[in-house]
Amino acid sequence: MEYPTRNHPSSFHQQTIVYPVISRRSRGISIGINVSPTKRCTFGCVYCQIHVDRTKNAKELALLSPTIDLGQLRRELLATVDSAVSGRLFEEKRFGATRSDYRRLNDFAFSGDGEPTLAPQFPEVVDILRSIRRELALPQVKLILITNSTTLREERTIAGCDALTAENGEIWAKLDGGTEADYREMNRSEVPFSTILENLRFASRRWPVKLQTMLLRLGGRAPDNRWIDCYCAAVREILGAGGTFRSIQLYTVARPPAHGCCTPLDDGEMDAYAAKIAEETSLPTEVFYSK
Ligand code: SF4
């Protein structure tokens, strides 16, 4: 599950699994864990650069193993935490301009080049993150799963999410539309919209969940009143079924645009959508602008 608003290179030194980013959403250092060497995903979001890359390199990716070296993950994570906590990270050119209040380690986040819950080792990786968090005595560090919401009722995902949320964990789950047609236009998936809603009903009753929603101009069209009304109705329907969300994160495409047909909304538009969605759902909204 890509960090959709980031413009962060997902590589650090020679590391291939673990990479630090200064994250606006985390308001600090987020250490990304990329468990998707084959870039596998059940979505093909219109705004996703990874999807474009995956489509272009499908033959090469098919030859790769979907598993990662868990020993390597451990080594890379320990080295990255050490660099962040010691402050050495900020001696590097890329991180030198980090503002002082963001020079804190906030989380380990499943993110990267595909949907992390599809990774065959997802539950094992959760265990490694938990054990490193304990070994290094980092109780303030959150464990975050950024997911496209397609597998949330599958047995392996449930096991991984139960373990993750037992240890200061949080799920950031995608909902990019309020109707089958709106969802398909944005996420271009074979997974039925009803499955996404059912998964979110389930997850939001069981775990701490933040919703993540992309708002953009698609082919020149910004979300209209009907789009927003349907989206809010879908969220209310989940809440009415007993779900709760900590907040709704609203973001728009960051530079450079992932796809020619997608362009960002400006800050004023984002603020107006956030106010309307907060009013219609009675949930707090967090806005992440394009710059
Ligand atoms: S969920 Fe969408 S944005 Fe995330 S990796 Fe899959 S296609 Fe890309």
Side-chain angles (χ1 to χ4, degrees):
M1 177 79 171
E2 182 193 12
Y3 261 120
T5 59
R6 75 176 152 84
N7 190 17
H8 311 300
S10 60
S11 62
F12 179 64
H13 300 176
Q14 302 304 310
Q15 296 183 182
T16 57
I17 302 171
V18 175
Y19 57 98
V21 296
I22 305 302
S23 164
R24 289 180 297 158
R25 283 186 284 184
S26 293
R27 297 184 172 83
I29 306 166
S30 175
I31 296 186
I33 315 292
N34 179 16
V35 289
S36 308
T38 61
K39 305 183 195 281
R40 189 170 163 224
C41 190
T42 33
F43 277 6
C45 303
V46 282
Y47 50 83
C48 178
Q49 285 173 318
I50 290 164
H51 176 67
V52 173
D53 187 48
R54 199 170 65 214
T55 309
K56 205 165 63 190
N57 299 310
K59 279 189 189 148
E60 291 89 329
L61 291 170
L63 300 174
L64 296 177
S65 164
T67 60
I68 57 168
D69 179 335
L70 296 178
Q72 180 190 345
L73 161 67
R74 211 184 142 72
R75 286 191 298 279
E76 290 187 4
L77 185 53
L78 288 171
T80 309
V81 170
D82 183 50
S83 173
V85 171
S86 67
R88 278 200 318 282
L89 184 70
F90 306 108
E91 291 166 13
E92 302 201 14
K93 196 171 166 212
R94 198 203 308 173
F95 297 99
T98 304
R99 46 193 266 194
S100 57
D101 56 330
Y102 277 29
R103 293 184 177 213
R104 46 173 279 281
L105 178 57
N106 186 72
D107 57 80
F108 300 158
F110 281 92
S111 175
D113 291 345
E115 166 53 34
T117 61
L118 299 174
Q121 297 152 299
F122 172 63
E124 289 95 322
V125 175
V126 172
D127 285 344
I128 290 174
L129 302 191
R130 280 166 49 118
S131 75
I132 288 183
R133 195 175 157 275
R134 281 189 211 152
E135 270 169 43
L136 299 181
L138 298 168
Q140 80 287 1
V141 168
K142 283 188 186 164
L143 302 182
I144 296 174
L145 168 67
I146 305 178
T147 176
N148 68 11
S149 311
T150 55
T151 75
L152 290 168
R153 280 179 302 144
E154 291 179 14
E155 207 173 306
R156 288 174 56 267
T157 304
I158 292 171
C161 289
D162 280 347
L164 180 125
T165 54
E167 204 124 348
N168 200 18
E170 205 169 70
I171 318 289
W172 294 1
K174 191 184 280 294
L175 178 67
D176 279 348
T179 67
E180 183 89 41
D182 293 342
Y183 152 75
R184 287 199 184 284
E185 186 174 39
M186 286 282 268
N187 301 128
R188 300 185 299 186
S189 175
E190 296 301 309
V191 178
F193 185 55
S194 56
T195 302
I196 302 294
L197 293 180
E198 188 58 38
N199 288 354
L200 287 170
R201 280 192 286 270
F202 172 83
S204 63
R205 287 195 296 249
R206 189 175 180 109
W207 304 304
V209 178
K210 287 186 177 182
L211 267 189
Q212 289 201 311
T213 297
M214 170 64 85
L215 300 172
L216 47 71
R217 202 168 269 105
L218 190 51
R221 281 177 296 119
D224 58 13
N225 287 339
R226 180 210 60 78
W227 196 102
I228 295 291
D229 288 347
C230 291
Y231 170 82
C232 291
V235 174
R236 284 196 305 268
E237 193 273 326
I238 297 168
L239 299 176
T244 51
F245 295 112
R246 289 192 165 180
S247 66
I248 303 181
Q249 298 182 329
L250 298 169
Y251 53 95
T252 191
V253 281
R255 295 166 299 165
H259 194 286
C261 66
C262 301
T263 46
L265 300 176
D266 65 37
D267 296 1
E269 289 173 303
M270 290 298 288
D271 288 339
Y273 285 123
K276 166 104 171 140
I277 290 168
E279 188 186 330
E280 294 285 323
T281 63
S282 304
L283 288 170
T285 52
E286 301 171 77
V287 182
F288 299 92
Y289 305 104
S290 65
K291 295 178 191 126

